[in-house]
Amino acid sequence: MNKYLILSIFLGLFCTGLSVELPISIEIPIPIFSILYCIVAYAVYKMNIKHVNKNIEAGLLCVGIIVSYWLGAYLGANQLIFMSNGLVVYQLFRLACERTKRQSRLAMLVCLAQVWVGLLIIANFLPFILIFSISIFLLPKALTETENLYFPVRNLFSVFKFPKVHLLPISLVAVLVFVALPRIKLSRSLNPLQNAVAGQGELQKKADTSNSVDGGGERMVFQIEGKQIGYLRTVTLDKFDGLSAWEESTWIQLPDTKRSIWGPIPKDSLERSVKIISTSLLRNSLPVDGRVEKMDINTGNRFYLADGGGALTPLNFHDNPSYRFWTYNEPIPSPMNKKFRKRYLNIGGFEVSNQLKQFLDTQMPKNLTDQETADFLTNYFIDNFTYELGAPKLDRISAIDDFMFNEKTGHCERYASTLALLLRLKGIPSRVVLGYVPREYNNIAGFYNVRTKNAHAWTEAYIQGKGWVQFDATPYEELMPYEEKSLGFTLIESFRYFWFNRIVEFDSEDRSDLIQFSKGIVTPVVNAFINTLPQIVLVCVIVYLVYMIKKNFKKVKLKKKTPKEQKAESMLKARSFYGKLLRSLAKQGYEKPIAWTPNEFAQFLSQQGYPLITEIKSITKTYCDIYYGSKILSEENESVLQAQLAIIAAKK
């Protein structure tokens, strides 16, 4: 029984099931289809059907391919890849019915294609290595076993032995294929980090001074790589309701028509590389810092720089995008017209209490510039207030007064929103910004893990001659230190980051970067080679002359093969000769049954009156004496076998 072929078919069906992914609204894990395929396959295998009409089989196969192609379009998958599900029909027939030599070989080809599809889809490293290892072990044995059904082989794996030196060209070809064929994304949710840890829900586009806020949790939001990374903004709030809450207006979400992000890479800019892990937490916001001058994203979603300074997409993401952007840390000095200034000074009918008015009039120094006023208020909160998550809620009607003159404690949203209001009361345009502050740095791979607990709120004020300047009034002290993970955790995170960003999502842009990097290394080497070419040629000539002298004027003792090596070589040649005999007879209509021995097959041909029975018996005897006995194939016997095979092959 060809068990390895059957196991390989089951492996291919399991990998094919990974390509089936239902719409997002239907919550069924992907492996369920792999399991269903295997259950159906096992049930069909136990049927043990002897024969099926070829026309029925061909018709069902065509229907399966057409249906899978249509389903691929319906589910939004790669249709050519999804067609591997149609080939499931063919594999089921191979499990249910007896297989000919041609059908077994074709089943192996289909299995290889299905395993390839599975390896393309699997993004998590451990399942990938598991499937890949099983494939490396199983498929060669299945291929050998398929051939062994029609020609006996003692050592199943000997067919695939090759010198270790061949590993180098095989590895080079694999690398070239990897670089030449960038990855295609076949699934909507490739990154397992997305659901690794439960945490907060969607990003809240609102800040309320009166609310109480707890800690953010450990859920991974995104990973970012770059130098001098600052506060990463996602939402800008410019609309104050007159009591305690800030929201984003429609205006602040509109594209900033004065800025373009499609030009060349700005000189001396800072590059950032971002991989979004949890799209539900960001919705349509792309975290950025500083003054963004150029962006490049790897999905088909359109994106733009908004009037509020952040980067947005018109629609929410349904996959895990990666993008790069180039930025400057300094604000951009741009004039503000009266319309915008009025919008950023609007306090929504807020009634200033006598206590707050007295604070602004008496406790603040006179004749301060806008920059000095913002600095004074920021330092006032830092020096006189305390940071506390889960602080009690404030009075919704007079939340600002309750916070400033009674509680004097709270979370970052309270400080950011209160500072923004005070700045507007002093005639300084301001707004509240929500985003993240990266604190968990991976020293090995050089990137930051940004989690929900890193969420933060701060204030921006428009300073004449400088533009929008960032102010953070939250008195953190040591509550936001840089985190250092254990070495083991850091190594694991580094490897996963490299796997997803450099292997799984290797695209045409990464290929271009790799080529440019290679040019920078190869070009100096080539130039050095050209400059020293005469010396290299001279050395090669000398080495060749020394080799020829040694070869012609010194006796080289040839190592004599051991009896074991001679026996192995004779068995290999005898098997090759007998295999050629069986192939020649098969073409003439005489195919050897699997269960027959070589002598039984020769006796059958003799009874059938085969005209060249003398040559067949001679080849069979020589094969049995060598393969099953202790005889060594001599050069004379080898010549006789070749002549006899030529006579049999020439018979029509």
Side-chain angles (χ1 to χ4, degrees):
M1 182 181 66
N2 47 350
K3 60 179 180 180
Y4 290 114
L5 175 60
I6 294 172
L7 291 175
S8 298
I9 292 176
F10 274 92
L11 176 64
L13 294 176
F14 183 87
C15 292
T16 300
L18 298 175
S19 66
V20 182
E21 185 174 0
L22 292 177
I24 297 175
S25 58
I26 304 177
E27 296 292 338
I28 298 180
I30 294 177
I32 194 66
F33 292 94
S34 301
I35 297 172
L36 288 175
Y37 277 163
C38 291
I39 292 175
V40 173
Y42 183 77
V44 170
Y45 173 67
K46 285 298 183 180
M47 290 181 182
N48 196 20
I49 302 172
K50 296 297 182 181
H51 179 72
V52 174
N53 187 281
K54 291 184 178 180
N55 295 328
I56 297 177
E57 180 181 336
L60 292 176
L61 178 60
C62 291
V63 171
I65 293 176
I66 293 172
V67 170
S68 62
Y69 185 84
W70 176 81
L71 279 176
Y74 175 75
L75 297 175
N78 186 302
Q79 290 173 271
L80 294 178
I81 298 296
F82 202 81
M83 284 173 60
S84 63
N85 290 273
L87 297 176
V88 169
V89 177
Y90 181 82
Q91 298 295 71
L92 293 179
F93 277 112
R94 298 291 70 79
L95 288 173
C97 308
E98 293 184 354
R99 296 166 293 278
T100 64
K101 182 178 182 180
R102 180 180 180 183
Q103 289 173 336
S104 298
R105 288 175 172 174
L106 187 55
M108 280 305 306
L109 289 176
V110 173
C111 176
L112 289 171
Q114 291 174 332
V115 171
W116 173 74
V117 169
L119 293 177
L120 273 181
I121 292 174
I122 299 172
N124 201 346
F125 177 71
L126 293 180
F128 178 91
I129 290 298
L130 179 62
I131 297 295
F132 183 75
S133 301
I134 294 175
S135 303
I136 291 296
F137 170 78
L138 197 59
L139 296 180
K141 287 182 174 291
L143 287 169
T144 309
E145 185 182 58
T146 301
E147 296 302 315
N148 187 42
L149 292 175
Y150 307 98
F151 177 60
V153 179
R154 279 187 173 181
N155 187 357
L156 291 178
F157 210 72
S158 62
V159 176
F160 298 93
K161 287 185 177 179
F162 55 90
K164 292 182 179 180
V165 71
H166 291 178
L167 291 174
L168 178 60
I170 291 175
S171 302
L172 291 176
V173 170
V175 171
L176 290 176
V177 171
F178 175 80
V179 174
L181 300 176
R183 309 290 73 76
I184 53 177
K185 196 166 186 179
L186 305 177
S187 178
R188 287 188 299 268
S189 55
L190 287 178
N191 201 328
L193 293 176
Q194 180 176 359
N195 299 314
V197 183
Q200 289 182 330
E202 292 185 348
L203 177 68
Q204 299 298 318
K205 297 190 176 184
K206 182 178 180 180
D208 195 330
T209 307
S210 64
N211 285 343
S212 175
V213 176
D214 295 324
E218 293 288 335
R219 185 173 181 181
M220 186 87 72
V221 185
F222 60 93
Q223 295 171 320
I224 183 169
E225 181 180 358
K227 297 180 179 179
Q228 303 176 31
I229 298 176
Y231 286 29
L232 295 156
R233 68 191 310 131
T234 54
V235 179
T236 305
L237 310 177
D238 63 328
K239 184 179 179 181
F240 184 60
D241 68 352
L243 293 175
S244 62
W246 290 76
E247 297 177 343
E248 61 176 354
S249 65
T250 304
W251 298 100
I252 209 165
Q253 302 178 52
L254 296 177
D256 186 352
T257 57
K258 298 179 182 179
R259 302 171 63 189
S260 174
I261 53 176
W262 309 108
I265 297 177
K267 184 179 180 181
D268 299 329
S269 60
L270 299 172
E271 182 180 354
R272 311 277 191 253
S273 178
V274 182
K275 171 62 181 176
I276 294 180
I277 306 300
S278 297
T279 55
S280 63
L281 300 183
L282 298 174
R283 295 196 287 189
N284 67 328
S285 299
L286 299 173
V288 294
D289 70 318
R291 174 166 55 93
V292 179
E293 295 293 332
K294 178 177 173 58
M295 288 192 71
D296 189 10
I297 197 166
N298 71 340
T299 67
N301 295 65
R302 294 184 295 111
F303 60 95
Y304 60 90
L305 291 180
D307 180 68
L312 301 174
T313 60
L315 301 173
N316 294 353
F317 285 109
H318 293 301
D319 54 8
N320 302 93
S322 299
Y323 62 95
R324 295 192 297 177
F325 65 94
W326 290 260
T327 185
Y328 293 103
N329 285 335
E330 304 82 11
I332 179 171
S334 59
M336 178 180 289
N337 59 38
K338 293 182 179 180
K339 179 181 178 181
F340 278 76
R341 186 176 183 85
K342 181 179 179 181
R343 183 162 55 118
Y344 285 113
L345 288 174
N346 183 19
I347 58 175
F350 176 75
E351 295 183 5
V352 182
S353 65
N354 293 331
Q355 193 174 12
L356 181 58
K357 186 176 185 300
Q358 183 181 5
F359 169 81
L360 295 174
D361 292 341
T362 61
Q363 295 193 27
M364 290 190 62
K366 305 295 183 180
N367 302 321
L368 295 179
T369 64
D370 290 350
Q371 176 74 48
E372 291 171 344
T373 299
D375 288 336
F376 175 84
L377 291 172
T378 300
N379 292 327
Y380 176 80
F381 284 115
I382 293 176
D383 296 337
N384 299 283
F385 287 65
T386 57
Y387 176 81
E388 181 183 359
L389 286 172
K393 289 186 176 182
L394 303 176
D395 185 352
R396 180 77 170 85
I397 304 300
S398 57
I400 301 299
D401 284 19
D402 193 17
F403 171 58
M404 287 198 62
F405 307 115
N406 297 324
E407 296 293 339
K408 292 190 176 184
T409 183
H411 48 80
C412 56
E413 288 184 11
R414 287 185 179 177
Y415 293 99
S417 57
T418 303
L419 176 60
L421 176 62
L422 295 180
L423 290 173
R424 289 191 178 187
L425 292 175
K426 296 297 290 183
I428 303 173
S430 60
R431 58 194 185 190
V432 177
V433 183
L434 304 181
Y436 297 88
V437 181
R439 282 295 182 266
E440 183 184 319
Y441 185 68
N442 188 300
N443 293 285
I444 297 176
F447 67 89
Y448 288 91
N449 286 324
V450 182
R451 305 180 186 273
T452 50
K453 66 180 180 181
N454 301 128
H456 189 44
W458 61 94
T459 309
E460 286 185 343
Y462 181 81
I463 307 299
Q464 191 71 30
K466 293 184 178 181
W468 288 102
V469 180
Q470 173 184 300
F471 295 93
D472 189 354
T474 305
Y476 269 118
E477 297 181 354
E478 296 299 323
L479 294 178
M480 282 189 68
Y482 284 94
E483 297 185 36
E484 291 187 4
K485 299 291 185 179
S486 64
L487 178 60
F489 183 84
T490 302
L491 288 172
I492 293 174
E493 288 290 338
S494 302
F495 183 81
R496 298 177 79 176
Y497 181 81
F498 174 81
W499 176 257
F500 288 107
N501 290 275
R502 299 293 183 264
I503 303 298
V504 174
E505 296 189 351
F506 182 85
D507 54 18
S508 56
E509 185 174 326
D510 294 324
R511 178 178 60 185
S512 300
D513 293 342
L514 180 61
I515 292 174
Q516 292 298 327
F517 176 77
S518 302
K519 284 182 179 179
I521 297 178
V522 173
T523 301
V525 174
V526 172
N527 292 334
F529 176 79
I530 294 175
N531 294 333
T532 58
L533 185 59
Q535 294 89 328
I536 294 175
V537 172
L538 179 61
V539 172
C540 292
V541 170
I542 294 174
V543 171
Y544 178 74
L545 291 175
V546 171
Y547 170 75
M548 293 302 296
I549 292 172
K550 182 179 179 180
K551 181 179 179 181
N552 290 284
F553 294 96
K554 290 182 98 177
K555 293 183 179 180
V556 181
K557 295 183 179 180
L558 299 176
K559 182 182 177 182
K560 188 176 180 181
K561 294 182 179 179
T562 63
K564 186 177 181 180
E565 292 175 337
Q566 293 177 0
K567 175 63 176 177
E569 184 179 1
S570 297
M571 292 176 63
L572 186 63
K573 290 182 179 180
R575 187 175 60 190
S576 175
F577 285 131
Y578 192 69
K580 292 178 181 179
L581 171 64
L582 294 182
R583 285 191 288 273
S584 298
L585 292 174
K587 291 179 181 179
Q588 299 172 18
Y590 299 96
E591 187 166 350
K592 175 182 174 295
I594 300 173
W596 286 8
T597 65
N599 288 325
E600 289 175 341
F601 186 47
Q603 186 65 28
F604 168 76
L605 294 174
S606 176
Q607 295 173 357
Q608 296 294 318
Y610 189 80
L612 301 176
I613 191 63
T614 303
E615 287 78 2
I616 290 176
K617 287 184 175 182
S618 176
I619 295 173
T620 301
K621 184 178 184 306
T622 303
Y623 166 72
C624 292
D625 290 343
I626 295 173
Y627 204 78
Y628 300 108
S630 58
K631 186 177 179 181
I632 303 298
L633 182 65
S634 63
E635 294 183 1
E636 181 180 355
N637 289 338
E638 187 174 348
S639 300
V640 172
L641 289 175
Q642 289 177 345
Q644 292 173 339
L645 286 173
I647 294 173
I648 296 173
K651 181 184 178 302
K652 297 183 180 179

